[in-house]
Amino acid sequence: MPLLSTLASASSSAFGWGKSFSVSFTLDHLVVGGGGGGRNYGGGGGGEVIESTSQTLFLGTAYTVTVGAGGARATDGNNSVFDTITANAGKGTGGTGFSPGGASGSGNAGGTGQNFGGAFVGGGGGGDSAVGNNNSGTTGGSGGAGSSSSITGSSVSYGGGGGSGSEGGASRGTGTDGGGNGSNPVSNDGSNGTANRGGGGGGGDGGNTISGYSGGSGVVILKIPNTLTATFSGGVTSSLSTAVSGYKIYTVTATSTTSETVTFG
């Protein structure tokens, strides 16, 4: 169980010596950036995934918490933040080659696609732990792998890349670890990245129906001793789980501003 300790600091004044006390504790956290939006035809990049154990914080101190939104079509996602930790958003833009996927927030590049004349495919978006895949013939590239975490007591994968879209006589690529699937030609059967898993959005089908799908929002998960309680500012949407014995696990799924905070006591 995370450690609780008392730190004392001495201070002096004209009237003598005094002491002030701050109580520290440790927590585990997971911070995932928002996924990038897909486009024609590349999939969006997955958000960065940062997990840390036994980070020391102090009771009564307000810490910044921000959940990054996923990017709209062909748009970068938004960063997620807890205290001094920033998980970078996935990209919906950039890359080289024919219709590349967006890079992940961790820097893994998207794959590239190909123009076959009567058929067009893109590259898959980069994932937190792997680059996006290139097309395989007339099948679009799939998204790169994300990263898994068991902070909630169950293994969940976050930050995967979106699959590429396709046009003409080609077929789409699939999303990975929260990334959305790309669209088949004139089908509108692609998907957005999964909310609160930071997946990249699926690629579009050349504008025939849908020209790209949105990235999934990020998430901030805080695991603290069950003797403590987290108090959030008014613009925070969160849920509480006690599924892991001895802990309270707060999942922050949305914040209305970048100035929201959490205080522990």
Side-chain angles (χ1 to χ4, degrees):
M1 179 176 291
L3 174 69
L4 286 171
S5 61
T6 302
L7 306 178
S9 61
S11 61
S12 62
S13 69
F15 301 100
W17 288 90
K19 287 185 177 180
S20 61
F21 295 90
S22 297
V23 178
S24 69
F25 70 101
T26 60
L27 59 64
D28 300 341
H29 65 70
L30 178 74
V31 186
V32 181
R39 52 178 171 160
N40 291 330
Y41 303 88
E48 184 176 19
V49 180
I50 300 175
E51 185 167 14
S52 179
T53 59
S54 300
Q55 179 180 355
T56 299
L57 298 177
F58 294 92
L59 301 184
T61 298
Y63 296 96
T64 299
V65 58
T66 305
V67 173
R73 180 191 68 82
T75 303
D76 297 349
N78 294 273
N79 297 342
S80 293
V81 176
F82 172 63
D83 188 23
T84 61
I85 306 298
T86 298
N88 294 314
K91 300 292 186 181
T93 58
T96 59
F98 182 80
S99 197
S104 69
S106 60
N108 287 318
T112 59
Q114 196 167 350
N115 180 348
F116 292 94
F120 306 88
V121 288
D128 181 66
S129 65
V131 298
N133 292 286
N134 299 334
N135 66 292
S136 176
T138 56
T139 299
S142 58
S147 297
S148 63
S149 169
S150 297
I151 191 171
T152 62
S154 300
S155 180
V156 179
S157 294
Y158 302 87
S164 85
S166 58
E167 185 176 4
S171 58
R172 69 182 181 184
T174 55
T176 304
D177 294 339
N181 293 328
S183 179
N184 282 304
V186 200
S187 299
N188 190 21
D189 59 355
S191 55
N192 299 327
T194 304
N196 301 127
R197 287 178 61 190
D205 64 355
N208 291 320
T209 52
I210 295 292
S211 54
Y213 297 82
S214 298
S217 56
V219 71
V220 175
I221 300 177
L222 308 172
K223 182 180 179 181
I224 64 175
N226 62 5
T227 55
L228 301 178
T229 298
T231 302
F232 297 95
S233 57
V236 175
T237 301
S238 67
S239 61
L240 170 63
S241 169
T242 57
V244 179
S245 178
Y247 295 92
K248 292 178 180 176
I249 302 169
Y250 292 88
T251 299
V252 182
T253 54
T255 50
S256 60
T257 71
T258 58
S259 301
E260 304 302 331
T261 61
V262 57
T263 304
F264 304 95

